[in-house]
Amino acid sequence: MINRKFLLFALFLVLVGAYASNSAQGAMTPVLTEYPTGLVATAVSPTQVNLSWTAPTQNYGKTIVGYKIEQEVGIGVYDTLVYNSGSTITAYSVTGLKTGTTYTYRVSAVYSDDTSSSASNPASATPTTTSKPTTSSIPGATMTNTQFDFVPPDGTALSGVIMSSDDYLSLQYKKDPRAVLLNPVPTAYPANNNLSNLLAYQANHLAADSIPAPLVAKAISDKGILLTWLPPLEQYGQKLLGYKVEVKNNQGLFQSIDDDTENSDTKYYVTGLDSNTTYTYRVSAVYPGTHSNPSNEATATTLAPVISTPQNQTVTPPPVTTPSQTPPQTTPTSTVNNVKFDLTAPDGTLLAGIVATQADYQQFVLIKDPRTILSNVNTTSFPINNNLAGLLRYQDLHPVQQQSIPTTTPVTNTSQPVQSNPPPPDNSAPDKTLVNGVLTSVVASGVVGIITWFVKTKVARKIAKDYHFTLEHVSSGTPQIRIRNSGETIEDCVILCGKDACVWVDTNLDRPRHVYEGSVSSAKLPEQYDDNPLVSVKSGKKILRRINLDEMAHG
């Protein structure tokens, strides 16, 4: 009887323990989420909002490849800012916002099969003039990352990209030659992307070699927009005459504002626009009798007009304080967010002590004349004293001066003694002074004519050319040499590896070709070459540069 009761009691304990164990395990089972959760929006500057969220945990076997970012444009109505961030990092920075305006966002996960999850909770933030990152949002407050805008060749820009400084440095070497990095600044914000993701995004946003790309539009005032682009890589042997610039009208159709710029400059100023208005542009390369397909469309909004302070506004004087014996402790309130530098224009004129924004400085570096030199570059908290439009205007006012032929001053020969009683002139003999003067004039005219003819010839122009180009050794895949030409056109260019001519990648020929200003060309190394051959770049018979392969930058 006792054994039976004991067995029943033991069985009861086992059942109670099993129930408790199952209950405990059920309590610890995490709740699976099918969409991003915990979205938070934080205003970190007068024009920027940072978003962060938690990734969904129930993806039904699918792989997250990025996130869709949406902004509310009406009550319950959202417009897509980014269809696919191309990154699995659960953070994103929205820049270029208006101060004092409330913005609401939501995010969705994007999967590898081109489907997306439901949207997250909405989150709102209002950038104000006093918005700044909190200490907790910047661990250690050390500038270890770089924030920038990434524009791939097709112009589909990613704004507010933040990655480690090492990844940013590697990106400059591994990116496509026509991908553009804009507005880079050091930051302590956490990274929201990495090198591999950005290169994968770039691979999906390439452009045809025959069109100008990428086109970038930037508002420079309340009345003007600056357009910049890179020239076509493939021009099929045609002479580039200029570019056609078009703007989209209210009906959504493009109309020309300049049929032919008649020069190879890859920047264009559009002025006389309405303030605080959005404009969309595209450009095409112009050739004799034809033109290329248009570039990507680029959009920019002109700045709001500057409201001047009324003349009769009363200024309240500062309160009078009693001076103390202890010197005041000054705490700098401004941040190091501007750039100070000196600019030497193409004609050698120096403009010192320029202070501009990081964005204007980086844009100027991209589009300046190759002969303009920037020196003594430092970050500073000093107030701004110049802008992009002013720098470009100053550069245009100081081009390379054409050298004039110096005039010779006649030299008087004083080595002969002066006769006290010179003999009377012989009127019957011809005037030697007159004859010598006529002969000198004839000879001088001939010399001036010869010099003028020589300067105007193609040979003289070729000799006087100012070449600016860089060489890179591309070792991945088929070994290549990449030449980036930022100066004048290199005519009849050929690259020699030792004594063998390299084969141009796009034509598969080793014949001399023109390497145009602003272009990037690649040539394959011979199948067999020395460990560290001497590479020569020639224009016709003239050798422009000699360098060993190992001394080149690696692309």
Side-chain angles (χ1 to χ4, degrees):
M1 187 69 178
I2 297 176
N3 291 338
R4 187 175 181 183
K5 289 182 178 180
F6 178 78
L7 291 175
L8 291 174
F9 181 72
L11 180 61
F12 173 76
L13 292 178
V14 171
L15 293 175
V16 170
Y19 175 78
S21 177
N22 290 336
S23 299
Q25 290 180 3
M28 296 177 60
T29 301
V31 178
L32 297 179
T33 56
E34 300 179 355
Y35 49 84
T37 57
L39 175 64
V40 176
T42 306
V44 296
S45 83
T47 59
Q48 179 174 329
V49 168
N50 284 355
L51 305 176
S52 62
W53 61 90
T54 301
T57 56
Q58 175 58 280
N59 301 316
Y60 299 102
K62 296 185 289 187
T63 302
I64 296 177
V65 295
Y67 289 92
K68 179 171 68 173
I69 316 295
E70 296 176 286
Q71 178 179 310
E72 189 176 45
V73 294
I75 300 177
V77 179
Y78 285 83
D79 182 38
T80 301
L81 291 180
V82 179
Y83 285 95
N84 185 353
S85 65
S87 170
T88 56
I89 297 176
T90 57
Y92 190 81
S93 298
V94 186
T95 59
L97 304 178
K98 291 184 179 180
T99 305
T101 302
T102 300
Y103 294 89
T104 302
Y105 301 94
R106 69 183 187 185
V107 300
S108 307
V110 178
Y111 298 109
S112 54
D113 60 354
D114 292 332
T115 61
S116 59
S117 71
S118 300
S120 69
N121 61 288
S124 302
T126 305
T128 65
T129 54
T130 59
S131 294
K132 60 182 180 179
T134 60
T135 304
S136 59
S137 65
I138 308 180
T142 55
M143 300 292 185
T144 57
N145 297 328
T146 302
Q147 177 173 320
F148 60 99
D149 299 332
F150 180 71
V151 185
D154 73 346
T156 310
L158 281 178
S159 300
V161 177
I162 302 176
M163 58 172 29
S164 69
S165 297
D166 290 341
D167 274 359
Y168 178 74
L169 180 62
S170 299
L171 178 65
Q172 298 181 61
Y173 290 96
K174 296 184 178 182
K175 71 178 183 67
D176 187 278
R178 294 203 291 177
V180 179
L181 309 179
L182 298 178
N183 309 321
V185 291
T187 182
Y189 300 145
N192 59 19
N193 221 312
N194 56 40
L195 179 62
S196 60
N197 283 336
L198 216 55
L199 292 178
Y201 180 84
Q202 172 185 266
N204 293 323
H205 294 278
L206 299 177
D209 291 345
S210 59
I211 66 172
L215 174 65
V216 177
K218 178 180 177 62
I220 57 176
S221 70
D222 61 335
K223 298 293 183 182
I225 289 177
L226 172 65
L227 304 177
T228 58
W229 61 91
L230 294 176
L233 293 178
E234 180 55 72
Q235 300 175 9
Y236 301 103
Q238 302 177 93
K239 181 180 180 181
L240 179 66
L241 301 179
Y243 293 93
K244 178 181 180 180
V245 183
E246 299 173 282
V247 63
K248 183 181 287 187
N249 58 25
N250 294 332
Q251 289 73 37
L253 303 176
F254 280 94
Q255 60 186 41
S256 175
I257 59 176
D258 195 335
D259 289 332
D260 186 357
T261 61
E262 298 183 351
N263 59 62
S264 59
D265 288 347
T266 54
K267 59 179 180 290
Y268 192 88
Y269 303 97
V270 186
T271 58
L273 304 176
D274 295 332
S275 60
N276 203 23
T277 305
T278 301
Y279 294 88
T280 301
Y281 299 91
R282 70 183 187 185
V283 299
S284 308
V286 177
Y287 302 107
T290 185
H291 56 78
S292 72
N293 289 329
S295 68
N296 60 286
E297 300 178 10
T299 300
T301 303
T302 51
L303 304 179
V306 179
I307 302 176
S308 59
T309 305
Q311 297 295 326
N312 57 356
Q313 180 176 352
T314 303
V315 179
T316 304
V320 179
T321 57
T322 303
S324 62
Q325 300 299 325
T326 306
Q329 299 296 324
T330 59
T331 302
T333 57
S334 58
T335 57
V336 181
N337 54 6
N338 297 327
V339 181
K340 183 179 180 182
F341 58 98
D342 299 336
L343 184 152
T344 305
D347 68 349
T349 306
L350 175 66
L351 184 62
I354 302 170
V355 180
T357 64
Q358 291 271 2
D360 280 356
Y361 172 76
Q362 294 295 339
Q363 185 76 2
F364 183 69
V365 170
L366 291 173
I367 64 178
K368 72 178 181 68
D369 189 297
R371 292 162 292 191
T372 296
I373 300 174
L374 306 180
S375 57
N376 301 325
V377 181
N378 291 291
T379 54
T380 181
S381 59
F382 293 162
I384 298 168
N385 60 20
N386 220 314
N387 57 25
L388 178 63
L391 297 176
L392 293 172
R393 177 63 177 165
Y394 182 83
Q395 176 183 261
D396 293 341
L397 292 175
H398 296 278
V400 176
Q401 299 294 329
Q402 299 294 332
Q403 295 184 352
S404 59
I405 300 174
T407 57
T408 58
T409 304
V411 179
T412 304
N413 186 1
T414 59
S415 61
Q416 298 296 330
V418 179
Q419 298 182 5
S420 58
N421 295 317
D426 186 2
N427 295 328
S428 60
D431 191 345
K432 293 183 178 180
T433 302
L434 178 61
V435 173
N436 291 337
V438 172
L439 292 176
T440 302
S441 299
V442 172
V443 172
S445 299
V447 171
V448 171
I450 292 173
I451 293 176
T452 303
W453 169 83
F454 181 75
V455 169
K456 290 183 178 180
T457 60
K458 182 178 180 181
V459 175
R461 288 198 303 269
K462 187 172 181 179
I463 293 175
K465 275 192 173 182
D466 194 7
Y467 295 104
H468 293 275
F469 62 90
T470 59
L471 297 174
E472 300 174 3
H473 176 206
V474 182
S475 56
S476 59
T478 303
Q480 301 176 8
I481 295 176
R482 182 183 296 151
I483 178 170
R484 300 176 185 267
N485 185 21
S486 58
E488 298 187 42
T489 298
I490 304 175
E491 298 178 347
D492 300 327
C493 177
V494 64
I495 300 178
L496 298 176
C497 182
K499 295 182 179 180
D500 298 326
C502 298
V503 176
W504 299 106
V505 173
D506 53 353
T507 62
N508 206 29
L509 299 173
D510 60 359
R511 298 176 182 175
R513 62 182 291 177
H514 295 343
V515 178
Y516 294 98
E517 177 184 359
S519 67
V520 179
S521 301
S522 298
K524 294 183 292 186
L525 291 168
E527 294 183 357
Q528 296 180 350
Y529 58 90
D530 298 334
D531 291 339
N532 187 22
L534 182 65
V535 176
S536 305
V537 179
K538 298 177 65 178
S539 175
K541 296 183 179 180
K542 181 180 180 180
I543 297 177
L544 305 182
R545 185 175 302 174
R546 282 178 173 170
I547 184 174
N548 287 101
L549 188 64
D550 290 349
E551 297 175 1
M552 293 185 189
H554 287 270

